[in-house]
């Protein structure tokens, strides 16, 4: 497993450098440059993730023996295109279509499958690590969103749709009004079928202990445990992402929202507005 992880770290580094330098190389196209910079940040996150897993394996004393071996021809097939594109960039002959093709081909390469294999090998031991495949799925969604936004790039978008999803978004709705929670489960479930519902913060906390949620929609005024109490309880946990939280509020809590940099939607809320906020989180 250590050899696979070491190779993955090399690939993530190569991708990060290519996208980072590409952001400056294509700086005249502000939209593309900004997108490449975001891709480079994602690869830096992937690198740090795989490094953390390596550290976890080392410190835990648990032996992770890989059931597969990555052959040299696969290693070369994945890493060489990244190196070649970087050489073209340094020669100032790299085109946008070269970079578009690279972004697509890397998503279809064995690199991502092997990355997920390593994650899944370790995730059985640590529930908190569910955040990793969730964030990697968001990386793919960013690519889809970028190519979908330009009619001239729709061909690349349709190629990306052929990549199987390795993480299904999971949303938690915390609401004591059963009519509202039923509506949200139904509407959100059209696009995101994995919806969990809790009637108060205490129920929500029990669910949160055993699952990673890509988005949490939470009422404030509830019996047993309020939304603010639930938020404060899960905020210190490693698998919590502050940007994934949306409060539904009928009262005045502006100072709390501002202090914690939280999204919130006032009741009675616009259903479309709420759906848009969820979409922003997942993209």
């Amino acid at each position: 497993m250590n050899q696979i992880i070491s190779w993955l770290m090399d690939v993530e580094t190569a991708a990060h450098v290519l996208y980072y330098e590409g952001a400056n190389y294509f700086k005249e196209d502000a939209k593309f440059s900004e997108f490449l910079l975001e891709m480079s940040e994602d690869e830096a996150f992937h690198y740090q993730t795989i490094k953390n897993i390596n550290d976890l394996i080392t410190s835990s004393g648990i032996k992770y023996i890989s059931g597969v071996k990555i052959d040299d021809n696969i290693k070369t097939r994945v890493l060489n295109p990244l190196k070649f594109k970087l050489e073209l960039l340094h020669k100032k002959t790299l085109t946008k279509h070269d970079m578009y093709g690279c972004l697509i081909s890397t998503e279809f390469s064995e690199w991502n499958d092997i990355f997920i294999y390593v994650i899944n090998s370790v995730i059985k031991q640590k529930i908190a690590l569910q955040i990793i495949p969730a964030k990697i799925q968001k990386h793919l969604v960013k690519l889809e969103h970028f190519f979908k936004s330009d009619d001239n790039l729709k061909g690349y978008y349709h190629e990306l749709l052929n990549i199987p999803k390795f993480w299904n978004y999971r949303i938690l709705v915390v609401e004591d009004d059963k009519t509202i929670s039923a509506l949200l489960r139904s509407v959100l479930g059209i696009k995101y079928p994995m919806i969990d519902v809790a009637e108060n913060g205490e129920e929500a906390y029990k669910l949160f202990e055993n699952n990673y949620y890509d988005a949490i929609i939470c009422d404030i005024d509830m019996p047993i445990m309020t939304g603010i109490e639930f938020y404060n309880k899960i905020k210190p946990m490693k698998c919590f992402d502050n940007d994934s939280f949306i409060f539904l509020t009928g009262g005045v809590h502006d100072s709390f929202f501002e202090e914690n940099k939280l999204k919130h939607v006032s009741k009675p809320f616009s259903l479309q507005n709420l759906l848009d906020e969820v979409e922003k989180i997942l993209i």
Side-chain angles (χ1 to χ4, degrees):
M1 185 67 82
N2 288 339
Q3 290 181 344
I4 296 176
I5 288 176
S6 178
W7 169 73
L8 282 172
M9 289 170 69
D10 288 342
V11 176
E12 299 297 348
T13 299
H16 166 71
V17 171
L18 174 61
Y19 299 156
Y20 183 80
E21 292 193 19
N24 184 60
Y25 182 78
F26 293 109
K27 62 184 178 183
E28 292 184 1
D29 184 338
K31 180 182 176 183
F32 189 38
S33 177
E34 183 180 349
F35 175 69
L36 286 174
L37 190 60
E38 191 169 0
M39 291 294 99
S40 76
E41 291 169 354
D42 282 355
E43 300 306 345
F45 166 77
H46 297 165
Y47 171 88
Q48 190 59 50
T49 295
I50 210 72
K51 182 181 182 301
N52 289 346
I53 286 177
N54 191 49
D55 293 343
L56 174 66
I57 291 173
T58 302
S59 63
S60 67
I62 301 173
K63 291 185 177 180
Y64 291 88
I65 300 174
S66 174
V68 299
K69 178 182 178 182
I70 310 304
D71 300 318
D72 288 340
N73 63 330
I74 290 180
K75 292 180 180 179
T76 301
R77 188 162 65 239
V78 171
L79 194 53
N80 278 7
L82 295 170
K83 291 181 176 179
F84 178 64
K85 294 297 188 297
L86 190 60
E87 288 176 8
L88 292 180
L89 187 152
H90 290 161
K91 293 176 181 178
K92 300 188 183 303
T93 58
L94 184 70
T95 68
K96 286 183 184 178
H97 285 287
D98 288 334
M99 188 63 91
Y100 296 153
C102 182
L103 287 163
I104 298 297
S105 63
T106 55
E107 295 300 323
F108 278 98
S109 73
E110 293 92 342
W111 165 24
N112 290 292
D113 296 327
I114 295 166
F115 190 102
I116 296 302
Y117 162 72
V118 172
I119 299 299
N120 287 337
S121 297
V122 182
I123 208 172
K124 297 173 184 176
Q125 306 289 335
K126 298 282 183 178
I127 290 175
L129 291 178
Q130 289 180 3
I131 193 173
I132 298 170
K135 282 186 174 289
I136 296 171
Q137 183 64 41
K138 286 185 179 181
H139 173 78
L140 177 58
V141 172
K142 289 175 190 175
L143 280 164
E144 292 177 358
H145 186 69
F146 175 79
F147 287 115
K148 186 180 181 181
S149 65
D150 188 328
D151 288 339
N152 295 321
L153 304 178
K154 286 288 179 68
Y156 296 107
Y157 167 70
H158 291 298
E159 284 189 59
L160 285 171
L161 293 180
N162 293 321
I163 300 177
K165 286 184 170 58
F166 42 79
W167 176 260
N168 289 312
Y169 288 132
R170 196 176 199 123
I171 298 172
L172 175 61
V173 175
V174 191
E175 171 63 70
D176 62 323
D177 186 325
K178 293 184 179 180
T179 58
I180 292 178
S181 62
L183 174 63
L184 293 179
R185 171 181 274 182
S186 178
V187 174
L188 289 165
I190 294 172
K191 192 171 184 180
Y192 310 109
M194 297 185 70
I195 312 288
D196 287 340
V197 174
E199 292 188 16
N200 55 65
E202 185 176 278
E203 287 184 13
Y205 181 73
K206 290 177 182 177
L207 289 169
F208 190 86
E209 282 186 304
N210 296 302
N211 299 285
Y212 172 75
Y213 291 100
D214 300 278
I216 300 173
I217 303 168
C218 185
D219 189 20
I220 286 188
D221 298 318
M222 296 179 291
I224 303 177
M225 183 187 290
T226 68
I228 291 178
E229 290 171 335
F230 168 60
Y231 170 81
N232 287 330
K233 193 168 184 177
I234 67 173
K235 186 178 179 181
M237 298 172 72
K238 288 183 178 180
C239 55
F240 175 69
D241 183 353
N242 203 65
D243 291 335
S244 70
F245 212 98
I246 303 175
F247 267 115
L248 301 178
T249 174
V252 179
H253 302 277
D254 290 346
S255 59
F256 173 76
F257 297 141
E258 186 175 341
E259 179 184 346
N260 291 280
K261 298 179 180 178
L262 284 162
K263 300 179 182 69
H264 61 281
V265 177
S266 298
K267 290 182 176 180
F269 59 86
S270 159
L271 188 57
Q272 186 59 56
N273 184 31
L274 180 61
L275 293 175
D276 290 343
E277 290 298 325
V278 171
E279 188 79 5
K280 288 177 186 177
I281 289 173
L282 301 181
I283 291 178

